[in-house]
Structures are given as C-alpha cells and as structure tokens.
Amino acid sequence: KYLSTYLHAEIFNGFPERDVYAAERHVVQAFEKINARLMSAHRLHGSFGTQGSTAVVLLVWQQHALVVSVGDSEAVMSRNGQGHVLHRTYKPDHPDERRRIHAAGEFVDGGRVNGRLAMSRAFGDFDFKSVIATPCSRIVSVQADFFVLATDGLWDVIDRDTAVRSVSAAGPIGGADKHLVSRAMDYGSTDNTTVIVVWLGSGHEASAPALYAGVGIIVFMAAVAVYQASDRRRVLLTAAALLAASAVVYGKIRPRDQ
C-alpha cells in the first residue's frame, strides 16, 4: 500500500520531462528514496523485515520508452513479431548478484537468497542484508505495437515470443491480458500472475505528449510480497490504484490480477 500511494508521487515530483537521461536518473533516485523511507519505518516498527515488493515502471513519451525495474517482473516490447525484454531482472544465481550476496555475508541456495528469497533486489526485505532496491534502468527508441508487463507467474511458463504472438492475435480489444493469465494457469504456473498490455496504436511510435504536472503515460506494476519463511509462500498485492490511473491517462490499459 505504501508504494501504491507514494512511489508514483515521488516519480512525478519535479519530473524533468524535457531530458530523457535526467528523467532516468530521477526515477532511479525515486526508487532509492522510497526504499530509504521504508527502511526508516522498519527501524522504528520492524515492519518490512520479511515483506518486500517488486516494481516495474514504464514511461513512454516522444520517441522514447524508459523502463525502471527492481525485482523479477518484466516489461517486454513487441517489435516485428518478437518479444524484446527491455531490462535485466535480478536473480540471486546471476554471477554478479551471487558475488554481491556473498560479500554481504549471505549465501545462495536453490536460486534463493539464504534459501528463502527468490530475488536479489526488491523494496523492503530488510532482514536480508544483501537485498537492495537499486533498480535496472534502460532507455530505448519506441518502434513497437505494444508492451507486455507481467510478473514472473507469466514468464516462468510462457516465453516472450509466444506472449507477443498471443497479444497480436487478440488485438487491442481482444482481452489478451486475460488470455495470457489463463494460459499461464493452464501451463501450471503456481505463482501469482499479473499481466498488463499497453497498446501504442497503429503508428508504431509513441505519440503521447511529454509528461507534465504529474500527468502522462505511466504504467506501474508493484506487488507487495509477504514472504513466510516457513513455507516460502508469497502473497502479491497489485497496486490497483496506479493501474487505474494509468488506464485513465492512456485508455487502453486493462489490468488483470490473479
């Protein structure tokens, strides 16, 4: 709930709309500021030791797409019928992340930090010394029909090209997001699955106006994950308020949470 209330506000506070590289730095700093506030709350109340969140933010304006992500949710861009992952996801068994985790005095077992946490970067999760909220960020030129943003409940069982083909076949009003969620369940996904499809229209370019005064095209997906060390389950709570705000701005975003 904290992220759904404050992360987007921090992003839009002083957002440098005219400089895409300054915008990238601004959003990265917004992630880090929010995590610092969570840390302060944790020190006072012990609230976020085993609670964490992933987030992926997509901003599209002019000819650019800016993706900033922490955790294992992914933003995929459709280009020429193929799905292109726009950013890195942070898994504990990646060599760089494994070295960082070991340097913090922790270990990786079964692809999890200390055998418990399936991601190496997230908001919160302060009981894990190696887990940080420094995100991956990337700027790309937009030559795409649509984007698919989804949690790992989808990507664990459906590859990117298959997802793109499914969305293309369904079209802008075909309920592709619901279809992908259903397919993930059929394919045996045991994780919570959230899918958002963002259509850019037939021009293959983002034609949105520049961001201004807190208004623009922003697709935000954040999940508050409650990790229970006893059984390693996690409960994902989607930031529905921000998804609804995105739908108002763009008009073609249809969130689905399972």
Side-chain angles (χ1 to χ4, degrees), residues 16-221:
E17 63 185 70
R18 298 182 184 278
D19 184 340
V20 67
Y21 298 103
E24 179 183 26
R25 293 191 296 271
H26 177 85
V27 178
V28 168
Q29 290 169 1
F31 273 54
E32 294 173 338
K33 288 178 182 178
I34 290 295
N35 201 55
R37 293 177 196 168
L38 291 173
M39 172 62 86
S40 297
H42 175 65
R43 287 171 175 165
L44 288 174
H45 308 293
S47 305
F48 303 106
T50 56
Q51 295 184 33
S53 174
T54 70
V56 57
V57 173
L58 168 67
L59 296 119
V60 182
W61 79 105
Q62 300 174 12
Q63 308 299 318
H64 304 290
L66 168 61
V67 182
V68 183
S69 174
V70 66
D72 54 6
S73 297
E74 287 187 8
V76 171
M77 180 172 66
S78 168
R79 177 181 291 168
N80 299 324
Q82 295 182 322
H84 299 269
V85 180
L86 295 180
H87 58 93
R88 173 181 171 181
T89 57
Y90 290 103
K91 298 285 190 179
D93 53 3
H94 188 281
D96 290 344
E97 293 296 277
R98 184 185 291 268
R99 283 192 291 270
R100 188 176 59 77
I101 292 165
H102 288 171
E106 296 181 321
F107 63 91
V108 178
D109 180 30
R112 294 172 179 264
V113 180
N114 293 349
R116 296 166 58 195
L117 189 63
M119 62 194 74
S120 56
R121 300 195 185 200
F123 289 103
D125 285 316
F126 296 121
D127 282 358
F128 300 89
K129 294 182 294 182
S130 63
V131 174
I132 59 176
T134 302
C136 172
S137 63
R138 187 181 178 193
I139 299 166
V140 297
S141 297
V142 178
Q143 294 289 330
D145 293 316
F146 56 83
F147 295 87
V148 180
L149 281 73
T151 59
D152 60 342
L154 178 74
W155 304 123
D156 284 349
V157 296
I158 295 178
D159 66 72
R160 284 73 182 161
D161 291 345
T162 298
V164 163
R165 288 194 296 270
S166 295
V167 173
S168 297
I173 59 174
D177 44 8
K178 296 179 182 179
H179 177 65
L180 286 175
V181 169
S182 296
R183 288 191 69 178
M185 299 301 104
D186 291 342
Y187 288 174
S189 178
T190 58
D191 208 342
N192 293 274
T193 306
T194 300
V195 178
I196 309 168
V197 177
V198 185
W199 285 88
L200 298 182
S202 59
H204 302 278
E205 291 185 354
S207 57
L211 300 173
Y212 61 94
V215 178
I217 298 180
I218 174 171
V219 180
F220 175 83
M221 183 165 54

